[in-house]
Amino acid sequence: MSTITPTALQSSQPPIIPLDFNANQPETIRLYPLSNYTFGVKETQPEEDPSVLARLKRLEEHYQAHGMRRTCEGILVCHEHNHPHILMLQIANAFFKLPGDYLRPEDDEIEGFKARLDERLAPVGSLGEGNKAGDWEVGDCLAQWWRPNFETFMYPFVPAHITRPKECKKLYFIQLPQSKVLSVPKNMKLLAVPLFELYENTQRYGPQLSAIPHLLSRYNFEFVNEDGEVVAKTPGTGAPDSYVPRPKVLAGGDDVDMKTENGTH
């Protein structure tokens, strides 16, 4: 029995090229490979609140003193095997969140947000050489989530009966440069989570994070290799047949064996 070679499966007819289909499309986003970035760890950043109840109590105190809390988080995107991956923090091996946090009452929105990104991801010591404070390219606001009451629930709209929401969280697209040094507190993990893993996975990641593939679908992407060459575009070629996207631990986590975590031992 003869073996069918890959060339035998190719069509002898050239593909039909459709008319342009990019009207009113945002500019194409260039994504750089995960291997372009350097990851390290820094001192522990303990959680401000020992429990969810304590966190909600502090939110209530903030509201009484300053009004609605403003929170900004970043969607940082790179790629591996031409598949977009989101840089995400994991706390206590369970809780996932995007880099960022609530703004101080006196903060300007964008400058305050950059300062919060620095707190979470800016390197220190020798790793910080060549890095400037607030060196982040804050792009489009992709989503707004609202907390109507002093409860854990947030919604991508303000419920009709709510006139004074207690918190607004904005998710911003952060354009990563061609290379960058990032450092995560050692009590957290920095993960690269593929869109494939996030999509409709509310049970593991919750409604905000699992909605990210929808938010990014408005963009076209160019995937660049380590040499700065565009190797794929959307729509275009996909990953190798043997590649299955899954989260990868980049840095952080006390006593973490990276090879074991990522299944590469």
Side-chain angles (χ1 to χ4, degrees):
M1 183 175 180
S2 61
T3 302
I4 298 177
T5 62
T7 55
L9 299 176
Q10 296 178 1
S11 172
S12 61
Q13 299 297 321
I16 298 173
I17 307 299
L19 294 177
D20 186 74
F21 198 48
N22 292 311
N24 296 330
Q25 186 82 12
E27 62 178 312
T28 297
I29 301 295
R30 177 162 289 192
L31 301 183
Y32 297 97
L34 184 60
S35 55
N36 273 25
Y37 303 100
T38 302
F39 304 98
V41 295
K42 55 187 177 182
E43 287 303 309
T44 294
Q45 291 181 2
E47 288 292 291
E48 292 184 75
D49 305 300
S51 67
V52 173
L53 287 177
R55 179 162 55 88
L56 294 175
K57 177 63 177 175
R58 187 161 54 85
L59 172 63
E60 186 172 358
E61 293 170 352
H62 179 282
Y63 182 81
Q64 297 299 331
H66 308 289
M68 184 186 75
R69 171 182 281 178
R70 302 170 301 152
T71 296
C72 294
E73 294 182 348
I75 298 176
L76 286 67
V77 193
C78 56
H79 81 86
E80 189 169 55
H81 297 295
N82 305 335
H83 184 80
H85 284 59
I86 309 300
L87 299 188
M88 194 175 296
L89 297 168
Q90 186 181 24
I91 302 170
N93 291 319
F95 179 66
F96 300 92
K97 74 185 300 289
L98 295 171
D101 214 326
Y102 66 88
L103 305 182
R104 289 179 287 267
E106 67 276 11
D107 282 348
D108 169 80
E109 182 175 337
I110 300 302
E111 293 307 311
F113 179 30
K114 290 179 179 180
R116 291 307 241 172
L117 287 175
D118 275 350
E119 287 179 19
R120 284 290 192 241
L121 295 179
V124 293
S126 60
L127 281 178
E129 294 176 2
N131 286 264
K132 298 182 296 183
D135 189 17
W136 301 96
E137 186 176 335
V138 178
D140 295 326
C141 179
L142 299 182
Q144 296 181 103
W145 287 81
W146 304 87
R147 191 186 306 276
N149 297 301
F150 301 114
E151 299 172 349
T152 57
F153 299 107
M154 297 189 79
Y155 301 89
F157 54 86
V158 181
H161 63 286
I162 297 297
T163 58
R164 296 181 181 181
K166 307 307 184 285
E167 181 179 3
C168 178
K169 177 190 289 187
K170 290 186 177 182
L171 304 186
Y172 278 99
F173 182 84
I174 304 295
Q175 176 68 65
L176 285 173
Q178 186 169 359
S179 64
K180 193 173 180 68
V181 178
L182 301 171
S183 193
V184 64
K186 63 183 181 181
N187 58 315
M188 304 178 188
K189 292 179 185 177
L190 182 62
L191 308 176
V193 183
L195 295 190
F196 176 89
E197 164 80 7
L198 288 173
Y199 180 61
E200 292 192 336
N201 198 351
T202 55
Q203 184 174 359
R204 180 169 175 80
Y205 294 99
Q208 295 176 35
L209 301 182
S210 62
I212 289 176
H214 294 277
L215 302 178
L216 294 179
S217 68
R218 66 191 299 243
Y219 296 113
N220 284 330
F221 293 114
E222 287 182 344
F223 301 95
V224 179
N225 65 14
E226 292 180 351
D227 298 322
E229 303 166 330
V230 176
V231 293
K233 297 182 180 181
T234 55
T237 56
D241 291 339
S242 60
Y243 174 66
V244 178
R246 69 186 191 88
K248 174 177 283 190
V249 178
L250 306 174
D254 293 324
D255 302 321
V256 172
D257 183 329
M258 293 297 182
K259 291 185 176 180
T260 302
E261 281 280 338
N262 293 317
T264 57
H265 53 278

